[in-house]
Amino acid sequence: MEVTLVMFKADNTRREFPIKPEGFVIGRKNTCDLRIPLTSVSRRHCELSVQGGQVKVRDMGSSNGTYHNSIRVQEAVLSAGDELVVGPVVFTVVVDGKPEVIEPVRSLVESAEGLDDSAILPSDLLAEVGGAGADSQGDTIANQADAVEQEDPIAALERLTELEIPDADS
């Protein structure tokens, strides 16, 4: 079973994020599989998993909640075409290529926080901009990234938006 989360940027460009079956964490922390660097997203917001032919989402105690088809949930089974909302970001669930056509649903990032939605990145790309890894003392810089976000979120996001995101097939 192949599961992908699809979101649309402000310019209606489609972005796809393949889900790892064993578990896929979405959150603000740079160790998450999909990092959304916004204060309305908890450090570890929610987790998706694929088990027994089902796609499940589980809220991880987030402050602002995880929404499945406009309903706040602690846990839910997702189906193809369902809407998953994490903070101000709206994803459409695609399972084995279904639905084939998705109407653009714009994330609420700009209106909610005045930020650019192009900064949402898989965690493996964060290392390219200094958002993951260790500093000279061997400590992770997750707390430093959070501090930068609090001080100047626009500058942090501008660095992230300069990255070229590879297609899922790459």
Side-chain angles (χ1 to χ4, degrees):
M1 173 180 274
E2 186 176 308
V3 180
T4 304
L5 294 180
V6 175
M7 66 166 281
F8 289 89
K9 294 172 35 176
D11 63 1
N12 283 339
T13 303
R14 180 177 167 143
R15 302 258 326 258
E16 298 185 11
F17 303 96
I19 303 303
K20 295 184 288 188
E22 64 277 3
F24 186 86
V25 177
I26 300 172
R28 190 176 75 229
K29 198 169 183 180
N30 68 347
T31 56
C32 293
D33 298 300
L34 181 59
R35 182 173 187 252
I36 303 174
L38 301 171
T39 56
S40 62
V41 175
S42 295
R43 284 182 177 87
R44 292 177 50 86
H45 198 97
C46 66
E47 180 179 32
L48 283 90
S49 62
V50 180
Q51 302 169 342
Q54 291 185 322
V55 182
K56 296 180 181 180
V57 63
R58 179 178 60 89
D59 187 87
M60 300 177 81
S62 68
S63 298
N64 294 319
T66 301
Y67 291 81
H68 171 236
N69 294 334
S70 302
I71 299 170
R72 187 172 181 162
V73 296
Q74 291 303 310
E75 291 187 18
V77 174
L78 306 175
S79 299
D82 283 357
E83 189 176 272
L84 178 67
V85 180
V86 177
V89 182
V90 180
F91 296 102
T92 301
V93 179
V94 176
V95 179
D96 294 330
K98 305 286 188 222
E100 292 177 13
V101 177
I102 300 172
E103 293 295 319
V105 176
R106 231 177 114 215
S107 293
L108 308 171
V109 176
E110 286 183 302
S111 61
E113 302 198 22
L115 301 173
D116 182 5
D117 57 4
S118 62
I120 300 166
L121 293 174
S123 61
D124 58 345
L125 294 176
L126 291 174
E128 296 179 35
V129 292
D135 61 18
S136 59
Q137 286 77 36
D139 296 326
T140 64
I141 62 171
N143 292 335
Q144 293 174 8
D146 283 344
V148 169
E149 174 190 334
Q150 297 301 323
E151 293 172 15
D152 187 3
I154 300 301
L157 290 174
E158 284 174 349
R159 286 194 308 275
L160 292 174
T161 60
E162 293 171 0
L163 292 177
E164 192 169 307
I165 308 298
D167 292 334
D169 298 334
S170 301

